[in-house]
Amino acid sequence: MDDIHAPTVASGPASGVTPRDVSKLSMPDLMQEKVRIEEEMSALSSVLQSHGVRMTSSLTTFDGFPRDDIDIAQVRTIRVRMIHLRNDHKEVMQYLEKGVHAHFANLQNTPDASPITNGTSHPPAAQALPDRSADSSTASGTPFAKVNSVVTGSPADQAGLKAGDAIRNFGGVNWLNHERLTKVAETVQQNEGREVSVKVSRKEDTGAITELDLQLTPRQNWGGRGLLGCHLVPL
């Protein structure tokens, strides 16, 4: 074993599963593939954590001998799989982004109907125009997380968040790039003491859905744990 740290990749897929041609998947299938990859990455990360190591942790002792407190073969195998999954995730995200851009390009290239009466062209009625804002909201504001609980008096509570709210945007984080909420955590850390725009969908008692744009300021010393005082779970 020339380099105990370097993950060795045998010929063919590391998982033993025939790779999918993601270029042929529909947008819903791409979303399912994205979720599947993220769930497997999360599970494998938990296994590494159970060994007390990360992707870059040393597998040797200070004097260069293989560590005897971990299953080195298993750790190396998991690291190889994680590398494959990261590449797969990047590819899926690229096709998702292309799909979104193509969707808006098609909307922009679709001519508006202009009825002609007696040879005179009339502008289309206002109600016949496509609702661009609604399409944009649907594409970029798909809920990706749910508020599981909110602590009274916390920054989340003061911003107006409630348990059950569906998060559509958290700063610049959305359904395409949240990476199992890791990007939300990064946004919170990077914006301590500064307002972050949080767009949520809330189901009212009447069954109606209300869209809200809240301003949340992550901060410490509010009397509880964390910078937000709420618990989010991915959808």
Side-chain angles (χ1 to χ4, degrees), residues 182-222:
T182 57
K183 292 301 182 180
V184 172
E186 291 179 8
T187 299
V188 171
Q189 294 293 332
Q190 295 168 2
N191 289 277
E192 181 178 351
R194 293 182 292 187
E195 283 191 346
V196 177
S197 176
V198 181
K199 296 183 179 180
V200 305
S201 296
R202 177 176 300 165
K203 187 174 183 179
E204 306 292 349
D205 295 337
T206 60
I209 302 297
T210 302
E211 308 294 344
L212 301 172
D213 191 350
L214 308 177
Q215 300 301 313
L216 173 57
T217 304
R219 60 184 176 85
Q220 298 182 12
N221 304 321
W222 55 269

PDB file of all heavy atoms in Angstrom, residues 182-222:
ATOM      1  N   THR A 182     -26.902  22.267   4.490  1.00  0.00           N
ATOM      2  CA  THR A 182     -25.558  22.717   4.895  1.00  0.00           C
ATOM      3  C   THR A 182     -25.329  24.170   4.488  1.00  0.00           C
ATOM      4  O   THR A 182     -24.654  24.923   5.204  1.00  0.00           O
ATOM      5  CB  THR A 182     -24.473  21.834   4.267  1.00  0.00           C
ATOM      6  OG1 THR A 182     -24.616  21.849   2.829  1.00  0.00           O
ATOM      7  CG2 THR A 182     -24.565  20.408   4.768  1.00  0.00           C
ATOM      8  N   LYS A 183     -25.909  24.588   3.360  1.00  0.00           N
ATOM      9  CA  LYS A 183     -25.748  25.969   2.919  1.00  0.00           C
ATOM     10  C   LYS A 183     -26.539  26.942   3.790  1.00  0.00           C
ATOM     11  O   LYS A 183     -26.158  28.101   3.937  1.00  0.00           O
ATOM     12  CB  LYS A 183     -26.186  26.105   1.456  1.00  0.00           C
ATOM     13  CG  LYS A 183     -25.273  25.380   0.472  1.00  0.00           C
ATOM     14  CD  LYS A 183     -23.851  25.878   0.555  1.00  0.00           C
ATOM     15  CE  LYS A 183     -22.948  25.191  -0.451  1.00  0.00           C
ATOM     16  NZ  LYS A 183     -21.547  25.676  -0.365  1.00  0.00           N
ATOM     17  N   VAL A 184     -27.630  26.459   4.379  1.00  0.00           N
ATOM     18  CA  VAL A 184     -28.379  27.296   5.319  1.00  0.00           C
ATOM     19  C   VAL A 184     -27.512  27.570   6.543  1.00  0.00           C
ATOM     20  O   VAL A 184     -27.430  28.707   7.031  1.00  0.00           O
ATOM     21  CB  VAL A 184     -29.700  26.617   5.737  1.00  0.00           C
ATOM     22  CG1 VAL A 184     -30.365  27.399   6.864  1.00  0.00           C
ATOM     23  CG2 VAL A 184     -30.644  26.505   4.553  1.00  0.00           C
ATOM     24  N   ALA A 185     -26.852  26.524   7.055  1.00  0.00           N
ATOM     25  CA  ALA A 185     -25.975  26.685   8.221  1.00  0.00           C
ATOM     26  C   ALA A 185     -24.847  27.666   7.914  1.00  0.00           C
ATOM     27  O   ALA A 185     -24.498  28.516   8.752  1.00  0.00           O
ATOM     28  CB  ALA A 185     -25.409  25.327   8.644  1.00  0.00           C
ATOM     29  N   GLU A 186     -24.286  27.580   6.704  1.00  0.00           N
ATOM     30  CA  GLU A 186     -23.216  28.496   6.327  1.00  0.00           C
ATOM     31  C   GLU A 186     -23.730  29.934   6.259  1.00  0.00           C
ATOM     32  O   GLU A 186     -23.056  30.868   6.708  1.00  0.00           O
ATOM     33  CB  GLU A 186     -22.635  28.090   4.970  1.00  0.00           C
ATOM     34  CG  GLU A 186     -21.862  26.779   4.992  1.00  0.00           C
ATOM     35  CD  GLU A 186     -21.319  26.407   3.624  1.00  0.00           C
ATOM     36  OE1 GLU A 186     -21.413  27.254   2.699  1.00  0.00           O
ATOM     37  OE2 GLU A 186     -20.804  25.296   3.470  1.00  0.00           O
ATOM     38  N   THR A 187     -24.930  30.109   5.710  1.00  0.00           N
ATOM     39  CA  THR A 187     -25.509  31.447   5.612  1.00  0.00           C
ATOM     40  C   THR A 187     -25.739  32.049   6.993  1.00  0.00           C
ATOM     41  O   THR A 187     -25.480  33.243   7.213  1.00  0.00           O
ATOM     42  CB  THR A 187     -26.845  31.388   4.835  1.00  0.00           C
ATOM     43  OG1 THR A 187     -26.608  30.895   3.520  1.00  0.00           O
ATOM     44  CG2 THR A 187     -27.485  32.768   4.744  1.00  0.00           C
ATOM     45  N   VAL A 188     -26.211  31.236   7.921  1.00  0.00           N
ATOM     46  CA  VAL A 188     -26.444  31.705   9.284  1.00  0.00           C
ATOM     47  C   VAL A 188     -25.133  32.159   9.919  1.00  0.00           C
ATOM     48  O   VAL A 188     -25.053  33.239  10.524  1.00  0.00           O
ATOM     49  CB  VAL A 188     -27.099  30.592  10.137  1.00  0.00           C
ATOM     50  CG1 VAL A 188     -27.137  31.001  11.607  1.00  0.00           C
ATOM     51  CG2 VAL A 188     -28.505  30.300   9.640  1.00  0.00           C
ATOM     52  N   GLN A 189     -24.087  31.345   9.786  1.00  0.00           N
ATOM     53  CA  GLN A 189     -22.793  31.679  10.382  1.00  0.00           C
ATOM     54  C   GLN A 189     -22.200  32.947   9.777  1.00  0.00           C
ATOM     55  O   GLN A 189     -21.599  33.765  10.480  1.00  0.00           O
ATOM     56  CB  GLN A 189     -21.817  30.504  10.193  1.00  0.00           C
ATOM     57  CG  GLN A 189     -22.191  29.245  10.948  1.00  0.00           C
ATOM     58  CD  GLN A 189     -22.095  29.415  12.463  1.00  0.00           C
ATOM     59  OE1 GLN A 189     -21.309  30.224  12.961  1.00  0.00           O
ATOM     60  NE2 GLN A 189     -22.910  28.662  13.181  1.00  0.00           N
ATOM     61  N   GLN A 190     -22.371  33.091   8.468  1.00  0.00           N
ATOM     62  CA  GLN A 190     -21.775  34.235   7.774  1.00  0.00           C
ATOM     63  C   GLN A 190     -22.546  35.537   7.973  1.00  0.00           C
ATOM     64  O   GLN A 190     -22.039  36.611   7.649  1.00  0.00           O
ATOM     65  CB  GLN A 190     -21.668  33.927   6.276  1.00  0.00           C
ATOM     66  CG  GLN A 190     -20.719  32.790   5.945  1.00  0.00           C
ATOM     67  CD  GLN A 190     -20.846  32.319   4.502  1.00  0.00           C
ATOM     68  OE1 GLN A 190     -21.631  32.877   3.723  1.00  0.00           O
ATOM     69  NE2 GLN A 190     -20.080  31.310   4.130  1.00  0.00           N
ATOM     70  N   ASN A 191     -23.772  35.448   8.492  1.00  0.00           N
ATOM     71  CA  ASN A 191     -24.601  36.647   8.629  1.00  0.00           C
ATOM     72  C   ASN A 191     -25.022  36.909  10.068  1.00  0.00           C
ATOM     73  O   ASN A 191     -26.093  37.484  10.312  1.00  0.00           O
ATOM     74  CB  ASN A 191     -25.846  36.521   7.743  1.00  0.00           C
ATOM     75  CG  ASN A 191     -25.529  36.625   6.264  1.00  0.00           C
ATOM     76  OD1 ASN A 191     -25.408  37.714   5.708  1.00  0.00           O
ATOM     77  ND2 ASN A 191     -25.382  35.472   5.614  1.00  0.00           N
ATOM     78  N   GLU A 192     -24.195  36.509  11.013  1.00  0.00           N
ATOM     79  CA  GLU A 192     -24.512  36.790  12.418  1.00  0.00           C
ATOM     80  C   GLU A 192     -24.602  38.305  12.631  1.00  0.00           C
ATOM     81  O   GLU A 192     -23.707  39.060  12.262  1.00  0.00           O
ATOM     82  CB  GLU A 192     -23.436  36.202  13.332  1.00  0.00           C
ATOM     83  CG  GLU A 192     -23.720  36.426  14.806  1.00  0.00           C
ATOM     84  CD  GLU A 192     -22.666  35.805  15.715  1.00  0.00           C
ATOM     85  OE1 GLU A 192     -21.811  35.056  15.192  1.00  0.00           O
ATOM     86  OE2 GLU A 192     -22.715  36.075  16.928  1.00  0.00           O
ATOM     87  N   GLY A 193     -25.728  38.732  13.179  1.00  0.00           N
ATOM     88  CA  GLY A 193     -25.938  40.149  13.431  1.00  0.00           C
ATOM     89  C   GLY A 193     -26.467  40.926  12.235  1.00  0.00           C
ATOM     90  O   GLY A 193     -26.662  42.141  12.318  1.00  0.00           O
ATOM     91  N   ARG A 194     -26.715  40.239  11.127  1.00  0.00           N
ATOM     92  CA  ARG A 194     -27.234  40.911   9.931  1.00  0.00           C
ATOM     93  C   ARG A 194     -28.527  40.245   9.477  1.00  0.00           C
ATOM     94  O   ARG A 194     -28.690  39.041   9.613  1.00  0.00           O
ATOM     95  CB  ARG A 194     -26.206  40.857   8.791  1.00  0.00           C
ATOM     96  CG  ARG A 194     -24.957  41.686   9.073  1.00  0.00           C
ATOM     97  CD  ARG A 194     -23.993  41.642   7.912  1.00  0.00           C
ATOM     98  NE  ARG A 194     -23.401  40.316   7.747  1.00  0.00           N
ATOM     99  CZ  ARG A 194     -22.427  40.055   6.886  1.00  0.00           C
ATOM    100  NH1 ARG A 194     -21.974  41.001   6.087  1.00  0.00           N
ATOM    101  NH2 ARG A 194     -21.931  38.828   6.811  1.00  0.00           N
ATOM    102  N   GLU A 195     -29.418  41.042   8.909  1.00  0.00           N
ATOM    103  CA  GLU A 195     -30.708  40.516   8.476  1.00  0.00           C
ATOM    104  C   GLU A 195     -30.563  39.596   7.265  1.00  0.00           C
ATOM    105  O   GLU A 195     -29.779  39.872   6.344  1.00  0.00           O
ATOM    106  CB  GLU A 195     -31.665  41.665   8.117  1.00  0.00           C
ATOM    107  CG  GLU A 195     -32.267  42.371   9.312  1.00  0.00           C
ATOM    108  CD  GLU A 195     -33.388  43.312   8.909  1.00  0.00           C
ATOM    109  OE1 GLU A 195     -33.508  43.596   7.697  1.00  0.00           O
ATOM    110  OE2 GLU A 195     -34.146  43.758   9.787  1.00  0.00           O
ATOM    111  N   VAL A 196     -31.310  38.512   7.303  1.00  0.00           N
ATOM    112  CA  VAL A 196     -31.363  37.563   6.191  1.00  0.00           C
ATOM    113  C   VAL A 196     -32.826  37.441   5.760  1.00  0.00           C
ATOM    114  O   VAL A 196     -33.708  37.230   6.598  1.00  0.00           O
ATOM    115  CB  VAL A 196     -30.827  36.175   6.595  1.00  0.00           C
ATOM    116  CG1 VAL A 196     -30.967  35.196   5.433  1.00  0.00           C
ATOM    117  CG2 VAL A 196     -29.385  36.272   7.043  1.00  0.00           C
ATOM    118  N   SER A 197     -33.075  37.584   4.466  1.00  0.00           N
ATOM    119  CA  SER A 197     -34.436  37.445   3.953  1.00  0.00           C
ATOM    120  C   SER A 197     -34.816  35.970   3.892  1.00  0.00           C
ATOM    121  O   SER A 197     -34.093  35.160   3.308  1.00  0.00           O
ATOM    122  CB  SER A 197     -34.541  38.075   2.564  1.00  0.00           C
ATOM    123  OG  SER A 197     -35.833  37.878   2.018  1.00  0.00           O
ATOM    124  N   VAL A 198     -35.939  35.634   4.516  1.00  0.00           N
ATOM    125  CA  VAL A 198     -36.424  34.252   4.533  1.00  0.00           C
ATOM    126  C   VAL A 198     -37.840  34.232   3.973  1.00  0.00           C
ATOM    127  O   VAL A 198     -38.742  34.848   4.539  1.00  0.00           O
ATOM    128  CB  VAL A 198     -36.409  33.674   5.962  1.00  0.00           C
ATOM    129  CG1 VAL A 198     -36.892  32.227   5.954  1.00  0.00           C
ATOM    130  CG2 VAL A 198     -35.015  33.774   6.572  1.00  0.00           C
ATOM    131  N   LYS A 199     -38.025  33.545   2.864  1.00  0.00           N
ATOM    132  CA  LYS A 199     -39.349  33.437   2.249  1.00  0.00           C
ATOM    133  C   LYS A 199     -39.966  32.099   2.627  1.00  0.00           C
ATOM    134  O   LYS A 199     -39.334  31.054   2.460  1.00  0.00           O
ATOM    135  CB  LYS A 199     -39.237  33.562   0.735  1.00  0.00           C
ATOM    136  CG  LYS A 199     -38.725  34.933   0.293  1.00  0.00           C
ATOM    137  CD  LYS A 199     -38.683  35.046  -1.220  1.00  0.00           C
ATOM    138  CE  LYS A 199     -38.193  36.431  -1.636  1.00  0.00           C
ATOM    139  NZ  LYS A 199     -38.143  36.584  -3.110  1.00  0.00           N
ATOM    140  N   VAL A 200     -41.178  32.148   3.145  1.00  0.00           N
ATOM    141  CA  VAL A 200     -41.833  30.933   3.618  1.00  0.00           C
ATOM    142  C   VAL A 200     -43.253  30.839   3.080  1.00  0.00           C
ATOM    143  O   VAL A 200     -43.860  31.838   2.687  1.00  0.00           O
ATOM    144  CB  VAL A 200     -41.878  30.884   5.167  1.00  0.00           C
ATOM    145  CG1 VAL A 200     -40.482  31.031   5.755  1.00  0.00           C
ATOM    146  CG2 VAL A 200     -42.801  31.963   5.721  1.00  0.00           C
ATOM    147  N   SER A 201     -43.745  29.609   3.056  1.00  0.00           N
ATOM    148  CA  SER A 201     -45.153  29.345   2.750  1.00  0.00           C
ATOM    149  C   SER A 201     -45.794  28.823   4.026  1.00  0.00           C
ATOM    150  O   SER A 201     -45.259  27.909   4.657  1.00  0.00           O
ATOM    151  CB  SER A 201     -45.291  28.309   1.631  1.00  0.00           C
ATOM    152  OG  SER A 201     -44.749  28.797   0.432  1.00  0.00           O
ATOM    153  N   ARG A 202     -46.923  29.404   4.397  1.00  0.00           N
ATOM    154  CA  ARG A 202     -47.586  29.031   5.653  1.00  0.00           C
ATOM    155  C   ARG A 202     -49.026  28.600   5.366  1.00  0.00           C
ATOM    156  O   ARG A 202     -49.780  29.323   4.726  1.00  0.00           O
ATOM    157  CB  ARG A 202     -47.574  30.191   6.640  1.00  0.00           C
ATOM    158  CG  ARG A 202     -48.297  29.918   7.956  1.00  0.00           C
ATOM    159  CD  ARG A 202     -48.132  31.099   8.895  1.00  0.00           C
ATOM    160  NE  ARG A 202     -46.721  31.338   9.192  1.00  0.00           N
ATOM    161  CZ  ARG A 202     -46.257  32.463   9.743  1.00  0.00           C
ATOM    162  NH1 ARG A 202     -47.095  33.453  10.021  1.00  0.00           N
ATOM    163  NH2 ARG A 202     -44.969  32.601   9.987  1.00  0.00           N
ATOM    164  N   LYS A 203     -49.370  27.432   5.865  1.00  0.00           N
ATOM    165  CA  LYS A 203     -50.741  26.940   5.708  1.00  0.00           C
ATOM    166  C   LYS A 203     -51.579  27.438   6.871  1.00  0.00           C
ATOM    167  O   LYS A 203     -51.318  27.124   8.031  1.00  0.00           O
ATOM    168  CB  LYS A 203     -50.753  25.408   5.655  1.00  0.00           C
ATOM    169  CG  LYS A 203     -52.123  24.828   5.333  1.00  0.00           C
ATOM    170  CD  LYS A 203     -52.051  23.313   5.138  1.00  0.00           C
ATOM    171  CE  LYS A 203     -53.413  22.756   4.744  1.00  0.00           C
ATOM    172  NZ  LYS A 203     -53.363  21.284   4.522  1.00  0.00           N
ATOM    173  N   GLU A 204     -52.582  28.233   6.557  1.00  0.00           N
ATOM    174  CA  GLU A 204     -53.448  28.802   7.578  1.00  0.00           C
ATOM    175  C   GLU A 204     -54.480  27.771   8.047  1.00  0.00           C
ATOM    176  O   GLU A 204     -54.648  26.706   7.440  1.00  0.00           O
ATOM    177  CB  GLU A 204     -54.166  30.047   7.034  1.00  0.00           C
ATOM    178  CG  GLU A 204     -53.239  31.092   6.449  1.00  0.00           C
ATOM    179  CD  GLU A 204     -52.349  31.771   7.498  1.00  0.00           C
ATOM    180  OE1 GLU A 204     -52.610  31.560   8.700  1.00  0.00           O
ATOM    181  OE2 GLU A 204     -51.426  32.497   7.106  1.00  0.00           O
ATOM    182  N   ASP A 205     -55.156  28.100   9.141  1.00  0.00           N
ATOM    183  CA  ASP A 205     -56.181  27.196   9.681  1.00  0.00           C
ATOM    184  C   ASP A 205     -57.310  26.953   8.682  1.00  0.00           C
ATOM    185  O   ASP A 205     -57.961  25.905   8.708  1.00  0.00           O
ATOM    186  CB  ASP A 205     -56.754  27.773  10.986  1.00  0.00           C
ATOM    187  CG  ASP A 205     -55.712  27.830  12.088  1.00  0.00           C
ATOM    188  OD1 ASP A 205     -54.740  27.056  12.010  1.00  0.00           O
ATOM    189  OD2 ASP A 205     -55.881  28.642  13.018  1.00  0.00           O
ATOM    190  N   THR A 206     -57.507  27.940   7.804  1.00  0.00           N
ATOM    191  CA  THR A 206     -58.569  27.810   6.803  1.00  0.00           C
ATOM    192  C   THR A 206     -58.167  26.902   5.642  1.00  0.00           C
ATOM    193  O   THR A 206     -58.991  26.577   4.793  1.00  0.00           O
ATOM    194  CB  THR A 206     -58.931  29.193   6.248  1.00  0.00           C
ATOM    195  OG1 THR A 206     -57.760  29.780   5.646  1.00  0.00           O
ATOM    196  CG2 THR A 206     -59.442  30.101   7.356  1.00  0.00           C
ATOM    197  N   GLY A 207     -56.865  26.530   5.616  1.00  0.00           N
ATOM    198  CA  GLY A 207     -56.370  25.715   4.519  1.00  0.00           C
ATOM    199  C   GLY A 207     -55.685  26.525   3.439  1.00  0.00           C
ATOM    200  O   GLY A 207     -55.029  25.957   2.555  1.00  0.00           O
ATOM    201  N   ALA A 208     -55.829  27.852   3.485  1.00  0.00           N
ATOM    202  CA  ALA A 208     -55.192  28.718   2.497  1.00  0.00           C
ATOM    203  C   ALA A 208     -53.682  28.775   2.746  1.00  0.00           C
ATOM    204  O   ALA A 208     -53.220  28.642   3.876  1.00  0.00           O
ATOM    205  CB  ALA A 208     -55.796  30.122   2.569  1.00  0.00           C
ATOM    206  N   ILE A 209     -52.914  28.982   1.671  1.00  0.00           N
ATOM    207  CA  ILE A 209     -51.462  29.090   1.760  1.00  0.00           C
ATOM    208  C   ILE A 209     -51.070  30.555   1.651  1.00  0.00           C
ATOM    209  O   ILE A 209     -51.431  31.248   0.693  1.00  0.00           O
ATOM    210  CB  ILE A 209     -50.766  28.284   0.651  1.00  0.00           C
ATOM    211  CG1 ILE A 209     -51.167  26.816   0.726  1.00  0.00           C
ATOM    212  CG2 ILE A 209     -49.253  28.423   0.755  1.00  0.00           C
ATOM    213  CD1 ILE A 209     -50.749  26.119   1.999  1.00  0.00           C
ATOM    214  N   THR A 210     -50.334  31.039   2.648  1.00  0.00           N
ATOM    215  CA  THR A 210     -49.875  32.422   2.665  1.00  0.00           C
ATOM    216  C   THR A 210     -48.377  32.462   2.409  1.00  0.00           C
ATOM    217  O   THR A 210     -47.619  31.698   3.012  1.00  0.00           O
ATOM    218  CB  THR A 210     -50.167  33.088   4.017  1.00  0.00           C
ATOM    219  OG1 THR A 210     -51.573  33.030   4.282  1.00  0.00           O
ATOM    220  CG2 THR A 210     -49.718  34.544   4.026  1.00  0.00           C
ATOM    221  N   GLU A 211     -47.944  33.341   1.488  1.00  0.00           N
ATOM    222  CA  GLU A 211     -46.532  33.516   1.193  1.00  0.00           C
ATOM    223  C   GLU A 211     -46.014  34.716   1.990  1.00  0.00           C
ATOM    224  O   GLU A 211     -46.593  35.806   1.925  1.00  0.00           O
ATOM    225  CB  GLU A 211     -46.310  33.743  -0.303  1.00  0.00           C
ATOM    226  CG  GLU A 211     -46.948  32.689  -1.203  1.00  0.00           C
ATOM    227  CD  GLU A 211     -46.324  31.322  -1.042  1.00  0.00           C
ATOM    228  OE1 GLU A 211     -45.211  31.236  -0.472  1.00  0.00           O
ATOM    229  OE2 GLU A 211     -46.936  30.331  -1.471  1.00  0.00           O
ATOM    230  N   LEU A 212     -44.934  34.515   2.742  1.00  0.00           N
ATOM    231  CA  LEU A 212     -44.392  35.568   3.597  1.00  0.00           C
ATOM    232  C   LEU A 212     -42.915  35.801   3.301  1.00  0.00           C
ATOM    233  O   LEU A 212     -42.181  34.858   2.980  1.00  0.00           O
ATOM    234  CB  LEU A 212     -44.557  35.195   5.077  1.00  0.00           C
ATOM    235  CG  LEU A 212     -45.980  34.945   5.567  1.00  0.00           C
ATOM    236  CD1 LEU A 212     -45.946  34.390   6.984  1.00  0.00           C
ATOM    237  CD2 LEU A 212     -46.785  36.231   5.517  1.00  0.00           C
ATOM    238  N   ASP A 213     -42.501  37.052   3.403  1.00  0.00           N
ATOM    239  CA  ASP A 213     -41.087  37.420   3.260  1.00  0.00           C
ATOM    240  C   ASP A 213     -40.650  38.015   4.594  1.00  0.00           C
ATOM    241  O   ASP A 213     -40.976  39.155   4.924  1.00  0.00           O
ATOM    242  CB  ASP A 213     -40.907  38.424   2.124  1.00  0.00           C
ATOM    243  CG  ASP A 213     -39.436  38.633   1.766  1.00  0.00           C
ATOM    244  OD1 ASP A 213     -38.567  38.142   2.514  1.00  0.00           O
ATOM    245  OD2 ASP A 213     -39.160  39.275   0.742  1.00  0.00           O
ATOM    246  N   LEU A 214     -39.927  37.210   5.389  1.00  0.00           N
ATOM    247  CA  LEU A 214     -39.535  37.603   6.733  1.00  0.00           C
ATOM    248  C   LEU A 214     -38.074  38.040   6.775  1.00  0.00           C
ATOM    249  O   LEU A 214     -37.281  37.651   5.923  1.00  0.00           O
ATOM    250  CB  LEU A 214     -39.756  36.438   7.709  1.00  0.00           C
ATOM    251  CG  LEU A 214     -41.149  35.796   7.683  1.00  0.00           C
ATOM    252  CD1 LEU A 214     -41.195  34.613   8.642  1.00  0.00           C
ATOM    253  CD2 LEU A 214     -42.217  36.816   8.032  1.00  0.00           C
ATOM    254  N   GLN A 215     -37.743  38.840   7.772  1.00  0.00           N
ATOM    255  CA  GLN A 215     -36.369  39.285   7.981  1.00  0.00           C
ATOM    256  C   GLN A 215     -35.860  38.687   9.291  1.00  0.00           C
ATOM    257  O   GLN A 215     -36.348  39.011  10.368  1.00  0.00           O
ATOM    258  CB  GLN A 215     -36.289  40.816   8.009  1.00  0.00           C
ATOM    259  CG  GLN A 215     -36.765  41.494   6.734  1.00  0.00           C
ATOM    260  CD  GLN A 215     -35.975  41.057   5.515  1.00  0.00           C
ATOM    261  OE1 GLN A 215     -34.746  41.012   5.544  1.00  0.00           O
ATOM    262  NE2 GLN A 215     -36.683  40.749   4.431  1.00  0.00           N
ATOM    263  N   LEU A 216     -34.879  37.802   9.181  1.00  0.00           N
ATOM    264  CA  LEU A 216     -34.354  37.069  10.336  1.00  0.00           C
ATOM    265  C   LEU A 216     -32.910  37.472  10.588  1.00  0.00           C
ATOM    266  O   LEU A 216     -32.088  37.468   9.666  1.00  0.00           O
ATOM    267  CB  LEU A 216     -34.458  35.566  10.070  1.00  0.00           C
ATOM    268  CG  LEU A 216     -33.827  34.601  11.077  1.00  0.00           C
ATOM    269  CD1 LEU A 216     -34.400  34.816  12.467  1.00  0.00           C
ATOM    270  CD2 LEU A 216     -34.043  33.170  10.619  1.00  0.00           C
ATOM    271  N   THR A 217     -32.596  37.818  11.828  1.00  0.00           N
ATOM    272  CA  THR A 217     -31.240  38.228  12.194  1.00  0.00           C
ATOM    273  C   THR A 217     -30.614  37.196  13.125  1.00  0.00           C
ATOM    274  O   THR A 217     -30.956  37.126  14.314  1.00  0.00           O
ATOM    275  CB  THR A 217     -31.237  39.597  12.892  1.00  0.00           C
ATOM    276  OG1 THR A 217     -31.871  40.571  12.052  1.00  0.00           O
ATOM    277  CG2 THR A 217     -29.810  40.041  13.205  1.00  0.00           C
ATOM    278  N   PRO A 218     -29.713  36.359  12.645  1.00  0.00           N
ATOM    279  CA  PRO A 218     -29.036  35.387  13.513  1.00  0.00           C
ATOM    280  C   PRO A 218     -28.195  36.111  14.564  1.00  0.00           C
ATOM    281  O   PRO A 218     -27.466  37.054  14.239  1.00  0.00           O
ATOM    282  CB  PRO A 218     -28.136  34.605  12.544  1.00  0.00           C
ATOM    283  CG  PRO A 218     -28.723  34.850  11.182  1.00  0.00           C
ATOM    284  CD  PRO A 218     -29.288  36.235  11.237  1.00  0.00           C
ATOM    285  N   ARG A 219     -28.294  35.682  15.807  1.00  0.00           N
ATOM    286  CA  ARG A 219     -27.499  36.323  16.855  1.00  0.00           C
ATOM    287  C   ARG A 219     -27.353  35.408  18.069  1.00  0.00           C
ATOM    288  O   ARG A 219     -28.143  34.491  18.280  1.00  0.00           O
ATOM    289  CB  ARG A 219     -28.138  37.640  17.293  1.00  0.00           C
ATOM    290  CG  ARG A 219     -29.546  37.521  17.850  1.00  0.00           C
ATOM    291  CD  ARG A 219     -30.136  38.887  18.168  1.00  0.00           C
ATOM    292  NE  ARG A 219     -31.516  38.790  18.608  1.00  0.00           N
ATOM    293  CZ  ARG A 219     -31.882  38.546  19.876  1.00  0.00           C
ATOM    294  NH1 ARG A 219     -30.935  38.399  20.816  1.00  0.00           N
ATOM    295  NH2 ARG A 219     -33.159  38.477  20.211  1.00  0.00           N
ATOM    296  N   GLN A 220     -26.323  35.678  18.824  1.00  0.00           N
ATOM    297  CA  GLN A 220     -26.089  34.950  20.057  1.00  0.00           C
ATOM    298  C   GLN A 220     -26.671  35.737  21.238  1.00  0.00           C
ATOM    299  O   GLN A 220     -27.225  36.818  21.076  1.00  0.00           O
ATOM    300  CB  GLN A 220     -24.590  34.740  20.263  1.00  0.00           C
ATOM    301  CG  GLN A 220     -23.923  33.905  19.175  1.00  0.00           C
ATOM    302  CD  GLN A 220     -22.452  33.682  19.445  1.00  0.00           C
ATOM    303  OE1 GLN A 220     -21.942  33.955  20.532  1.00  0.00           O
ATOM    304  NE2 GLN A 220     -21.735  33.179  18.458  1.00  0.00           N
ATOM    305  N   ASN A 221     -26.563  35.128  22.404  1.00  0.00           N
ATOM    306  CA  ASN A 221     -26.959  35.787  23.655  1.00  0.00           C
ATOM    307  C   ASN A 221     -28.424  36.238  23.661  1.00  0.00           C
ATOM    308  O   ASN A 221     -28.766  37.299  24.208  1.00  0.00           O
ATOM    309  CB  ASN A 221     -26.052  37.003  23.929  1.00  0.00           C
ATOM    310  CG  ASN A 221     -24.589  36.626  23.971  1.00  0.00           C
ATOM    311  OD1 ASN A 221     -24.225  35.574  24.504  1.00  0.00           O
ATOM    312  ND2 ASN A 221     -23.739  37.467  23.413  1.00  0.00           N
ATOM    313  N   TRP A 222     -29.278  35.426  23.036  1.00  0.00           N
ATOM    314  CA  TRP A 222     -30.707  35.745  23.091  1.00  0.00           C
ATOM    315  C   TRP A 222     -31.415  34.969  24.202  1.00  0.00           C
ATOM    316  O   TRP A 222     -32.613  35.124  24.412  1.00  0.00           O
ATOM    317  CB  TRP A 222     -31.369  35.450  21.749  1.00  0.00           C
ATOM    318  CG  TRP A 222     -31.186  34.051  21.240  1.00  0.00           C
ATOM    319  CD1 TRP A 222     -30.188  33.593  20.440  1.00  0.00           C
ATOM    320  CD2 TRP A 222     -32.010  32.923  21.532  1.00  0.00           C
ATOM    321  NE1 TRP A 222     -30.333  32.251  20.192  1.00  0.00           N
ATOM    322  CE2 TRP A 222     -31.452  31.807  20.855  1.00  0.00           C
ATOM    323  CE3 TRP A 222     -33.168  32.728  22.283  1.00  0.00           C
ATOM    324  CZ2 TRP A 222     -32.007  30.533  20.914  1.00  0.00           C
ATOM    325  CZ3 TRP A 222     -33.721  31.455  22.337  1.00  0.00           C
ATOM    326  CH2 TRP A 222     -33.147  30.383  21.676  1.00  0.00           C
TER     327      TRP A 222
END
